[in-house]
Each structure stands twice: as structure tokens, then as C-alpha cells.
Amino acid sequence: MDEKIKIEIIKTADTEQIKNLYREAGWWNEDTDNKDPDLINKIIHGSFCFVVASIGDRLIGMGRAISDGACDSYIQDVMVLNEFRGKGIGVLIMDELIKYLKSKNINWITTVSEPQAVLFYQKYGFSQMTDYIPFTLKK
């Protein structure tokens, strides 16, 4: 890859490019987009840390952490455009997220993984919480 990949923590972003990342990951569709036109800005501003990977003006990956800012955090929405997967971009995003969290003395870092991403997170030292069961509220 000849182009320079930039990894940065942001407070604003091109919302269409962020939507595209969610869509390509299979997590969003047009119905999600239409529910709240300001959803992307709310996600970015509501995150403790929002990291993007870009080449020039094109966003090619992202990840974010939610935290109380004191001791606990949750990493979510780590994704990279399909054409850039397998090139270490997800690693760069995770490195930045973890570095930022640890710089704030936040050491209890969790995530929930899709089955195909388990090995990716295990490389960072994440392990399955066998004594706990994740729950989600069904409406």
C-alpha cells in the first residue's frame, strides 16, 4: 500500500463516510440512516474516544470507545472497509484506542466480538469472560 494511512482521534467527521462504514460492515441499512439524521454526530460526540483511519480525505476505518472516563471502558464499532482489510488497519485503530484509554488510566477495557473477530481481539490479550453473560434488552 503506497498511500499514507492516517490514524487520528476526531470530534467531527464526514457523516456519509461514517454511514458507509456501518453499511459495509452490515450493521446499518437505509432505515437506520433515516431514523435520526443527526445520529452519526451523536455517536461521535457521545463516544469517549472516536478513532478514524483515512487515506487523504477518504475514511477507510473506524473504532470507538465508550467510558465513564474514570475506570471502565467498552470498545465497539471497530471496522475497516472490505478493500482495506488484512492490511493492519484494524490493528492501528485498536492500538490508538487502547493507548488513549490507558493514557487516561482506564485499564478495565472490554468489547463484544462477532465470532469471526475473536482471534483479532485475542491478539490484544482480550479473553472470553467465562463467568459473565452479556445481555441485551429486547423491546
Side-chain angles (χ1 to χ4, degrees):
M1 183 179 301
D2 295 339
E3 300 120 325
K4 175 77 172 142
I5 299 168
K6 184 177 181 182
I7 305 294
E8 63 183 327
I9 296 171
I10 54 116
K11 295 292 183 191
T12 61
D14 179 330
T15 58
E16 286 305 312
Q17 289 193 69
I18 297 291
K19 286 179 188 178
N20 184 54
L21 285 163
Y22 277 106
R23 284 187 210 114
E24 189 172 300
W27 298 345
W28 280 18
N29 57 37
E30 287 186 29
D31 289 339
T32 308
D33 293 350
N34 295 329
K35 286 182 183 175
D36 182 351
D38 200 37
L39 184 58
I40 296 296
N41 288 321
K42 289 177 183 176
I43 289 171
I44 293 171
H45 292 114
S47 297
F48 185 71
C49 179
F50 197 99
V51 173
V52 294
S54 60
I55 295 176
D57 291 336
R58 184 176 181 202
L59 294 182
I60 60 170
M62 63 166 273
R64 65 192 189 110
I66 298 169
S67 177
D68 57 16
C71 59
D72 298 343
S73 64
Y74 172 74
I75 292 177
Q76 69 177 55
D77 298 347
V78 177
M79 59 188 93
V80 175
L81 291 175
N82 288 332
E83 69 185 274
F84 294 97
R85 288 189 183 160
K87 300 179 186 310
I89 297 165
V91 170
L92 296 173
I93 292 167
M94 284 293 293
D95 287 348
E96 188 68 22
L97 285 166
I98 291 169
K99 180 177 85 175
Y100 182 80
L101 292 168
K102 289 189 174 195
S103 78
K104 303 296 182 186
N105 295 315
I106 298 169
N107 294 304
W108 197 83
I109 303 170
T110 61
T111 193
V112 173
S113 174
E114 292 180 340
Q116 69 270 20
V118 168
L119 292 176
F120 174 78
Y121 290 106
Q122 285 176 336
K123 289 178 187 176
Y124 282 94
F126 286 92
S127 61
Q128 187 173 358
M129 296 174 66
T130 56
D131 296 333
Y132 301 90
I133 299 170
F135 288 94
T136 188
L137 180 63
K138 299 290 182 180
K139 293 183 180 180

